[in-house]
Amino acid sequence: MFKGALFDLDGVIADTSVYHFQAWTKLSQDNFQRDLPAKLEEQTKGVSRADSLQRILDYLQIQVTPDKFQQLMKQKNEYYLKLLQTLTPKNILPGINQLLQTLSQSGVKLALASASLNAPIILDRLQLSDYFAAIANPAEVKQGKPAPDIFLAAADGIKVKPQDCIALEDSIAGIQAINQAQAFSVGIGDSQELAAADILFAQTKDLNIEQISNAYQQWQEGQS
Ligand code: BG6
Ligand code: MG
């Protein structure tokens, strides 16, 4: 059995990933009178605020000064925080409460590996902070997802080797990060590109500990 579980937040624990893209879309409309295509949502998932903004500006083919870049990041976060004002435990995705409870009752240590600087306040609002023995700080890691750094930091935070951890993600960048960290990747979603995950579930409500444990065991046997 695995000893640690590393969780992404947006789109895994809570339904907040849609708010991120709503905020980016409003930012683009207000500043550049342009809409964003749905495909950009997938490309900005799991990716830091600065990297997301850069991808959006590249798509729009717009160049901005460093000052304007900072101002756009600040404005996006203000829009995002406004959308979070109504956040309550009702925003926890289906099956997640049960999963967190079962894992911690089984003695699995839990850590958060989110790219979001807002993660600690969101966990508090969801009343889930007590489950987590460590919250990796994205401001302190060198490289964001798809680099493995945040997952390595999360595993380190609970003093469990990455190979002894499962990690849950809904983004392509996140699955790449987990695989590079050499933890067992649990993907959530139906995008083709999530197929790189070691095991994939369409939705959080489908997450099944027994299936994950069996697949993890096979994966570990294959590693040695
Ligand atoms: C990730 C989201 O969890 O956090 C990304 O999937 C987001 O969409 C990133 O850009 C950074 O979040 P924040 O809250 O620091 O802007
Ligand atoms: Mg996510």
Side-chain angles (χ1 to χ4, degrees):
M1 178 74 171
F2 46 87
K3 299 179 182 139
L6 318 176
F7 280 80
D8 174 44
L9 173 66
D10 298 309
V12 169
I13 291 178
D15 59 4
T16 41
S17 58
V18 286
Y19 297 156
H20 277 293
F21 198 62
Q22 279 175 26
W24 285 125
T25 304
K26 183 167 165 51
L27 187 84
S28 175
Q29 287 166 344
D30 290 358
N31 287 274
F32 310 116
Q33 295 71 53
R34 297 270 302 273
D35 266 327
L36 299 178
K39 68 164 195 232
L40 266 182
E41 178 164 4
E42 211 55 53
Q43 289 172 22
T44 51
K45 264 189 199 168
V47 179
S48 74
R49 198 179 306 167
D51 289 347
S52 298
L53 177 56
Q54 193 53 59
R55 286 181 186 198
I56 289 165
L57 292 173
D58 288 348
Y59 165 78
L60 296 170
Q61 297 189 301
I62 289 173
Q63 286 186 357
V64 296
T65 62
D67 277 357
K68 179 73 179 169
F69 193 92
Q70 291 302 320
Q71 186 229 314
L72 288 168
M73 284 211 294
K74 191 164 164 258
Q75 194 180 0
K76 185 270 176 174
N77 199 46
E78 284 163 8
Y79 291 161
Y80 181 60
L81 291 177
K82 207 167 260 175
L83 291 168
L84 288 186
Q85 268 171 9
T86 55
L87 199 77
T88 70
K90 286 198 179 123
N91 292 87
I92 298 171
L93 284 163
I96 292 296
N97 258 317
Q98 185 64 45
L99 180 73
L100 293 172
Q101 214 170 346
T102 311
L103 288 174
S104 45
Q105 279 168 0
S106 325
V108 175
K109 286 193 191 157
L110 308 186
L112 198 75
S114 169
S116 173
L117 299 165
N118 295 301
I121 40 168
I122 296 176
L123 267 196
D124 267 355
R125 289 261 196 87
L126 300 174
Q127 296 170 21
L128 294 177
S129 300
D130 289 350
Y131 281 116
F132 291 87
I135 298 179
N137 184 350
E140 283 175 5
V141 299
K142 262 205 185 129
Q143 285 186 283
K145 301 171 190 178
D149 307 27
I150 193 91
F151 285 98
L152 296 174
D156 191 52
I158 50 173
K159 299 279 165 264
V160 179
K161 284 190 282 186
Q163 295 87 335
D164 293 332
C165 291
I166 61 162
L168 298 89
E169 260 291 351
D170 68 317
S171 72
I172 298 160
I175 293 293
Q176 288 171 345
I178 299 169
N179 291 346
Q180 283 201 67
Q182 295 183 341
F184 178 82
S185 52
V186 180
I188 298 151
D190 46 22
S191 159
Q192 284 256 311
E193 288 156 286
L194 290 174
D198 294 311
I199 188 169
L200 187 60
F201 296 92
Q203 297 179 50
T204 55
K205 69 174 171 56
D206 305 321
L207 287 163
N208 178 306
I209 297 190
E210 210 178 303
Q211 280 178 31
I212 295 173
S213 303
N214 290 339
Y216 171 80
Q217 204 173 331
Q218 279 182 14
W219 172 83
Q220 264 229 329
E221 285 162 11
Q223 302 275 306
S224 50

